[in-house]
């Protein structure tokens, strides 16, 4: 049952990212009334895009935890390491998508490091 849950999380994450990009984000970005931050709409678009896709990354992290819980003796990573890696991925996406302007990458990195150390 846990493997089925993990599969469904990966599946819905992929569908969420693909369909959200195609049918929500692209249509939203064509509107002329997006907030202009840092001199234009680029920062706004990038923030909306990476925030949308961070949801998918979180679901992938939960899927990895479910796989771990299904058989905790056959895994290389612990649950805390899975969480640490998930937030490291969040940090990298936020850092590169925003070119460092959206400071959430720092918080995600700190979460990753602190959970790993713990």
């Amino acid at each position: 049952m846990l493997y089925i849950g993990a599969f469904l999380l990966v599946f819905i994450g992929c569908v969420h990212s693909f369909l959200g990009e195609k049918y929500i984000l692209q249509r939203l970005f064509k509107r002329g009334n997006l907030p202009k931050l840092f001199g234009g709409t680029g920062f706004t678009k990038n923030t909306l895009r990476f925030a949308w896709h961070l949801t998918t990354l979180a679901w992938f992290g939960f899927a990895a935890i479910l796989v771990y819980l299904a058989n905790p003796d056959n895994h290389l990573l612990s649950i805390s390491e899975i969480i640490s890696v998930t937030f490291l991925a969040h940090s990298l996406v936020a850092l590169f998508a925003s070119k460092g302007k959206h400071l959430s990458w720092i918080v995600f990195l700190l979460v990753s490091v602190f959970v790993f150390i713990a």
Side-chain angles (χ1 to χ4, degrees):
M1 296 301 232
L2 293 174
Y3 288 121
I4 293 170
F7 170 79
L8 290 172
L9 283 172
V10 170
F11 175 76
I12 196 67
C14 292
V15 169
H16 177 264
S17 278
F18 177 76
L19 294 179
E21 186 71 41
K22 185 174 182 177
Y23 292 108
I24 296 175
L25 295 175
Q26 288 182 9
R27 291 178 182 184
L28 179 66
F29 296 159
K30 290 179 183 177
R31 297 174 58 114
N33 61 349
L34 288 175
K36 292 181 170 108
L37 303 171
F38 295 109
T41 60
F43 179 80
T44 304
K45 290 177 182 179
N46 285 341
T47 300
L48 290 170
R49 178 168 278 129
F50 83 73
W52 184 273
H53 295 296
L54 285 183
T55 305
T56 297
L57 282 178
W59 293 342
F60 289 171
F62 278 113
I65 291 171
L66 291 179
V67 169
Y68 174 89
L69 291 173
N71 192 354
D73 296 330
N74 286 336
H75 291 85
L76 299 173
L77 298 175
S78 68
I79 290 176
S80 62
E81 290 169 325
I82 292 168
I83 293 169
S84 179
V85 168
T86 300
F87 278 96
L88 177 61
H90 278 64
S91 176
L92 294 173
V93 168
L95 172 65
F96 291 111
S98 73
K99 298 177 183 138
K101 291 180 184 176
H102 196 284
L103 301 180
S104 65
W105 73 268
I106 297 169
V107 176
F108 292 140
L109 181 60
L110 289 172
V111 170
S112 175
V113 169
F114 291 145
V115 170
F116 184 79
I117 291 170

